[in-house]
């Protein structure tokens, strides 16, 4: 969803524009600010795609705001609202790309058209093939595969800074081994499942190449295809931005959250690929890479819901010994990938294909069938042990093939265990999703008079805003904004039934600081003003 921020120091203009765009079906996530400083706070919190702003404001004016926007979100489109005497400001502004302007005296139709044009420009800029073409010139497929092999080598042990410098130079890795990194992992999901290894590899490469374009302006990064066919990014702020390390890395985390959301939409529209991203907010020393990587994969497993289009930021705290083994038998690798990713269809398809190769025409199994059985049984047992599922999935006879009356029965037994694991995972994801939604509902009820923007609510559970919005609608059957309005209306009616509070005070308690905003909200829902409602209740 495209995010638009409306900025003007005149409250009546800001609120009016906010109301106008709220009623349009433009698929916009709207926010408002009454000063340049407040707008900057929003942009330091979340990605902003379009800014509709007054160009002349007290304090931070539109030009200074524009410079800050360019440093944080280079893709952001800016539309300035100007007066007749502001053309000196306008002349300076239009020297930068992505800037347009309108007179404040223009009708709403022209403002709506300018915003609609900006939306179309953003959507066009996300067209996948042009972006991939640009980034392919920077990194070849051969280099990508070599770097992926090197990443797996890094996970096996530590290297000195001097050794890393030599390796990076030879492999064309534009990272500084003397500085820490940020790590992000992606679980790629395909809406149209193809079982060819080449197609899966190409899908991962496509997402990796796309990231080069989205991340290059603000960061130095390395995207790698990992052992499971997913993606890992190692990221550092560009050298010119590391004078204050902690601040630079914190700003880079916010930048990654916003850019990965844009990448997700581009991949979905162009390739039918979705992916869940988990970002570590803590900086990682190179010697900690193995532990951080394992922990992030664990966080992906424990996600709420199906993870489609999710951007999750986690803080891992103290790093200890890695708990998860990355070494699986070669013939079970593809099945293990499907199991880890929760891809039931891909798992069963490949499982059935392997069964056909394990038996002869009479259904008898040879040495390969025995090896395949124990290979699959071993990674199923490893999965059960790793996630402590012994009391939920029976393993009796799993490592004893001769307890089964036939080869067919033994493989059906393996399939039943796998089906149980997929069912259990689905159930757990739904329970976690329900717990997240309940937490959000409780927070809304307890903070009704405070900021309940999508960005604020998302920060409570450390998800990206668009994923929270989708998850809430999926689990509750109602949009999050509609639910907040319902809760506000319920509380407002209860408070109006009593005479202890003035109408303006009731409005403040349900999140409306100005009386006219509360009256407009109440009348839109009930066709009467708060005063009229209170009078009817009294009678």
């Amino acid at each position: 969803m495209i995010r638009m921020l409306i900025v003007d120091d005149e409250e009546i203009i800001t609120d009016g524009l906010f109301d106008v765009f709220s009623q349009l079906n433009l698929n916009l996530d709207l926010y408002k600010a009454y000063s340049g400083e407040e707008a900057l706070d929003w942009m330091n919190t979340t990605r902003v795609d379009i800014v509709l702003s007054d160009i002349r404001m007290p304090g931070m004016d539109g030009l200074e705001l524009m410079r800050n926007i360019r440093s944080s979100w280079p893709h952001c489109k800016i539309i300035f609202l100007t007066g007749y005497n502001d053309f000196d400001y306008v002349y300076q502004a239009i020297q930068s790309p992505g800037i347009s302007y309108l007179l404040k005296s223009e009708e709403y139709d022209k403002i709506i058209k300018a915003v609609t044009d900006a939306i179309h420009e953003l959507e066009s800029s996300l067209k996948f093939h042009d972006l991939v073409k640009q980034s392919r010139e920077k990194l070849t497929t051969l280099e990508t595969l070599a770097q992926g092999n090197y990443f797996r080598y890094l996970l096996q042990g530590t290297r000195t800074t001097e050794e890393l410098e030599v390796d990076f130079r030879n492999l064309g890795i534009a990272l500084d081994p003397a500085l820490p990194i940020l790590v992000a992992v992606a679980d790629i999901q395909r809406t149209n499942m193809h079982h060819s290894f080449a197609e899966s590899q190409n899908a991962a490469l496509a997402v990796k190449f796309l990231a080069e374009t989205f991340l290059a302006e603000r960061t130095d990064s390395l995207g790698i295809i990992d052992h499971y066919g997913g993606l890992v990014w190692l990221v550092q702020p560009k050298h010119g931005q590391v004078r204050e390390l902690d601040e630079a890395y914190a700003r880079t985390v916010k930048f990654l959250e916003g850019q990965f959301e844009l990448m997700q939409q581009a991949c979905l529209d162009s390739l039918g690929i979705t992916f869940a991203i988990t970002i570590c907010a803590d900086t990682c020393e190179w010697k900690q890479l193995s532990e951080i990587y394992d922990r992030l994969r664990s966080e992906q497993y424990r996600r709420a819901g199906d993870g489609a289009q999710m951007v999750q930021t986690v803080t891992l705290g103290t790093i200890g010994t890695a708990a998860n083994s990355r070494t699986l038998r070669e013939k079970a690798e593809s099945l293990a990938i499907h199991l880890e990713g929760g891809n039931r269809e891909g798992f069963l398809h490949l499982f059935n294909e392997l069964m056909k190769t394990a038996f002869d025409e009479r259904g008898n199994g040879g040495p390969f069938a025995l090896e395949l059985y124990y290979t699959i049984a071993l990674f199923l047992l490893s999965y059960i042990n790793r996630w402590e599922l012994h009391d939920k999935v029976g393993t009796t006879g799993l490592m004893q093939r001769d307890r089964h009356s036939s080869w067919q029965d033994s493989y059906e037994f393996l399939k039943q265990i796998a089906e149980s694991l997929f069912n259990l995972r689905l159930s757990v994801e739904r329970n976690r999703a329900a717990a997240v939604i309940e937490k959000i509902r409780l927070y809304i009820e307890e903070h009704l008079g405070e900021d309940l923007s999508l960005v604020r609510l998302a920060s409570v559970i450390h998800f990206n805003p668009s994923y929270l919005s989708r998850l809430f609608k999926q689990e509750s059957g109602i949009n999050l904004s509609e639910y907040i309005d319902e809760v506000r209306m319920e509380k407002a009616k209860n408070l109006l039934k009593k005479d202890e509070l003035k109408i303006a005070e009731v409005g403040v308690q349900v999140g409306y600081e100005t009386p006219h905003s509360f009256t407009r909200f109440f009348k839109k829902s009930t066709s009467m003003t708060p005063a009229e409602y209170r009078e009817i209740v009294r009678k």
Side-chain angles (χ1 to χ4, degrees), residues 373-507:
Y373 175 89
Y374 281 110
T375 299
I376 297 173
L378 186 61
F379 81 70
L380 289 175
L381 182 61
S382 174
Y383 186 95
I384 292 167
N385 288 341
R386 200 162 353 112
W387 305 116
E388 300 180 353
L389 304 176
H390 313 88
D391 58 336
K392 300 179 177 65
V393 179
T395 59
T396 302
L398 180 60
M399 301 305 294
Q400 296 171 295
R401 213 293 306 173
D402 54 0
R403 289 188 58 169
H404 304 286
S405 58
S406 68
W407 281 105
Q408 189 71 30
D409 288 344
S410 64
Y411 274 85
E412 284 298 324
F413 176 69
L414 293 179
K415 184 188 288 188
Q416 290 171 13
I417 290 181
E419 289 271 19
S420 297
L421 292 174
F422 283 117
N423 291 335
L424 182 61
R425 177 169 181 156
L426 182 61
S427 174
V428 169
E429 286 178 350
R430 286 173 175 168
N431 290 340
R432 289 183 185 132
V436 166
I437 299 307
E438 184 59 25
K439 183 176 181 179
I440 288 296
R441 284 175 169 160
L442 289 173
Y443 184 90
I444 290 170
E445 292 171 6
E446 294 170 2
H447 300 81
L448 205 53
E450 301 172 17
D451 175 19
L452 292 179
S453 65
L454 189 56
V455 168
R456 176 68 190 119
L457 292 175
S459 70
V460 173
I461 53 174
H462 310 293
F463 288 166
N464 59 307
S466 56
Y467 184 71
L468 171 60
S469 178
R470 174 180 172 274
L471 183 64
F472 192 96
K473 177 66 178 291
Q474 179 178 290
E475 295 297 317
S476 305
I478 183 174
N479 290 327
L480 183 53
S481 59
E482 294 173 354
Y483 176 78
I484 294 171
D485 285 347
E486 287 182 3
V487 177
R488 281 177 166 154
M489 180 56 63
E490 179 83 15
K491 184 171 182 179
K493 286 180 176 179
N494 289 334
L495 293 175
L496 287 169
K497 291 176 182 178
K498 307 170 186 177
D499 290 328
E500 290 86 355
L501 297 175
K502 297 178 180 178
I503 289 176
E505 293 172 335
V506 172

Side-chain angles (χ1 to χ4, degrees), residues 248-467:
Y249 279 91
R251 287 169 63 89
T252 300
V253 170
K254 291 297 179 184
F255 175 75
L256 293 176
E257 290 172 352
Q259 296 302 89
F260 278 132
E261 276 195 287
L262 293 177
M263 282 174 54
Q264 287 173 331
Q265 192 59 49
C267 287
L268 180 62
D269 292 342
S270 301
L271 289 179
I273 294 174
T274 65
F275 57 94
I277 285 281
T278 301
I279 305 167
C280 182
D282 307 302
T283 55
C284 168
E285 300 296 333
W286 288 97
K287 63 183 180 181
Q288 299 174 319
L289 180 58
S290 176
E291 288 80 3
I292 289 282
Y293 170 70
D294 281 339
R295 293 275 295 276
L296 286 178
R297 283 190 52 79
S298 296
E299 289 295 332
Q300 283 239 320
Y301 175 84
R302 296 187 177 96
R303 66 193 177 215
D306 60 9
Q309 304 296 86
M310 180 188 78
V311 180
Q312 179 184 22
T313 304
V314 297
T315 301
L316 300 181
T318 304
I319 303 301
T321 303
N324 302 330
S325 171
R326 289 178 301 277
T327 305
L328 297 173
R329 294 292 300 273
E330 183 178 353
K331 290 178 181 177
E333 183 176 357
S334 295
L335 282 177
I337 290 170
H338 292 312
L339 181 64
E340 292 284 343
N343 179 13
R344 184 196 301 258
E345 179 188 352
F347 182 98
L348 294 178
H349 175 86
L350 182 56
F351 186 91
N352 291 332
E353 289 294 320
L354 287 172
M355 281 185 64
K356 293 176 183 177
T357 64
F359 310 124
D360 59 24
E361 295 179 355
R362 299 178 180 178
N364 297 320
F368 176 73
L370 184 62
E371 179 185 354
L372 181 61
Y373 175 89
Y374 281 110
T375 299
I376 297 173
L378 186 61
F379 81 70
L380 289 175
L381 182 61
S382 174
Y383 186 95
I384 292 167
N385 288 341
R386 200 162 353 112
W387 305 116
E388 300 180 353
L389 304 176
H390 313 88
D391 58 336
K392 300 179 177 65
V393 179
T395 59
T396 302
L398 180 60
M399 301 305 294
Q400 296 171 295
R401 213 293 306 173
D402 54 0
R403 289 188 58 169
H404 304 286
S405 58
S406 68
W407 281 105
Q408 189 71 30
D409 288 344
S410 64
Y411 274 85
E412 284 298 324
F413 176 69
L414 293 179
K415 184 188 288 188
Q416 290 171 13
I417 290 181
E419 289 271 19
S420 297
L421 292 174
F422 283 117
N423 291 335
L424 182 61
R425 177 169 181 156
L426 182 61
S427 174
V428 169
E429 286 178 350
R430 286 173 175 168
N431 290 340
R432 289 183 185 132
V436 166
I437 299 307
E438 184 59 25
K439 183 176 181 179
I440 288 296
R441 284 175 169 160
L442 289 173
Y443 184 90
I444 290 170
E445 292 171 6
E446 294 170 2
H447 300 81
L448 205 53
E450 301 172 17
D451 175 19
L452 292 179
S453 65
L454 189 56
V455 168
R456 176 68 190 119
L457 292 175
S459 70
V460 173
I461 53 174
H462 310 293
F463 288 166
N464 59 307
S466 56
Y467 184 71

